[in-house]
Amino acid sequence: MNDTGGLIRAANPVPEDRSTALSARGSAELAALVPDVATPTTTAAAATPPGSGPRRPTPRRTGLLVGVAALAVGVVAVGAAVVVPMLGDGGTGAGGGGLAADEPFYGTTAELEAAADLVVRGTITGTEADSSQGYEQTVASVDVAATAAGDVAPGSTLEVAYTTPGSGPESPVGLAVGGEYVLLLAAGDDGRAYLVNTTQGYFTVEDGSAVPTTDNPVPLDPATLAALGLS
C-alpha cells in the first residue's frame, strides 16, 4: 500500500507542495497554463532574470474560432457560386432565352466562322410566325445564291428560324423580307437552320459588301467573302 501511494504522488503532474517541487520558471510556466496554480514565492521570482520568463501561450479556442469563421466564409462563398443560375439557350437558337440573354460572342473571325455549319448568301423571300417551341419565333424562307461552307447548293431554299424581333432579349433586328444577307447558321435537328447568334449571325449585303451589325466588330474572312461573290 505504501508503494502504491508513492507511485500516485509521483504521477501527479501538479504536486501538493508546488513551491518546493517546482523551480521558479517551472511554476511560472505552470501558472500560465493552469490559472489556479499559485505563483512562486517572492524569493524564487527574484531569482529569475528580467524578461526570461515564458510568454503566455495563445489559447487554442481563439485559433479554433478563427478556423470556424474562415470555414463559414468559405461555405458562404461556395453557396453563392452554387446558386448562380445558368440562363438562356447557349446561343444555339433552338431554345428559349430564359430571364437574361446568354448568347456566345465570338472575338475573332476564325471563331465566328468555326461556329457555323452553314455560311450562305441569300435573300429572304417570306416569313411566318411559329410559337410551337414555347416562345415567339420567326421562320424565314431564304433563297440561297452562294455557299461558302456547308452542303447547301445555290438555288435551294433554306428555312432559317430565329426569335421574333422585339419579343425577347435574343432577337435580331435587321432581318426583313426582300433583304439579302450573309447568314452564319447552325444546323438544327428539326431540319431548320439557326443563326449562330443574333448580332454576329448575319451580315447585310450592300453594294457587293457584307456589312456587319453595329454590335459586331468581327469581319468575315476574305476567302469566305470571295466564295460568296463579295468583297
Side-chain angles (χ1 to χ4, degrees):
M1 294 295 293
N2 291 336
D3 292 339
T4 301
L7 289 173
I8 293 174
R9 285 191 299 274
N12 185 0
V14 185
E16 296 298 329
D17 188 0
R18 295 164 186 157
S19 61
T20 58
L22 296 175
S23 66
R25 181 167 181 172
S27 296
E29 291 178 350
L30 186 59
L33 294 172
V34 184
D36 65 340
V37 175
T39 56
T41 61
T42 303
T43 304
T48 304
S52 64
R55 296 182 179 180
R56 185 176 181 87
T58 302
R60 292 185 179 182
R61 181 176 298 177
T62 302
L64 178 60
L65 292 176
V66 171
V68 170
L71 178 60
V73 171
V75 169
V76 170
V78 171
V82 169
V83 298
V84 174
M86 299 300 291
L87 303 175
D89 63 2
T92 63
L99 297 179
D102 187 30
E103 292 188 314
F105 189 87
Y106 304 101
T108 67
T109 298
E111 291 173 342
L112 174 58
E113 295 192 9
D117 299 313
L118 308 172
V119 179
V120 301
R121 173 186 174 184
T123 300
I124 297 178
T125 59
T127 61
E128 63 180 17
D130 180 12
S131 57
S132 62
Q133 302 298 318
Y135 65 101
E136 295 300 322
Q137 187 174 220
T138 295
V139 181
S141 296
V142 178
D143 286 351
V144 177
T147 301
D151 188 17
V152 178
S156 60
T157 300
L158 279 177
E159 282 193 345
V160 178
Y162 48 87
T163 304
T164 299
S167 67
E170 298 178 1
S171 58
V173 295
L175 298 178
V177 175
E180 186 178 15
Y181 307 95
V182 174
L183 302 174
L184 291 89
L185 305 168
D189 295 335
D190 55 3
R192 293 172 176 172
Y194 295 84
L195 300 175
V196 294
N197 71 27
T198 55
T199 58
Q200 297 177 292
Y202 68 97
F203 292 67
T204 303
V205 176
E206 294 181 0
D207 299 325
S209 298
V211 180
T213 66
T214 56
D215 295 324
N216 179 20
V218 179
L220 295 172
D221 187 271
T224 299
L225 293 172
L228 298 173
L230 301 171
S231 59

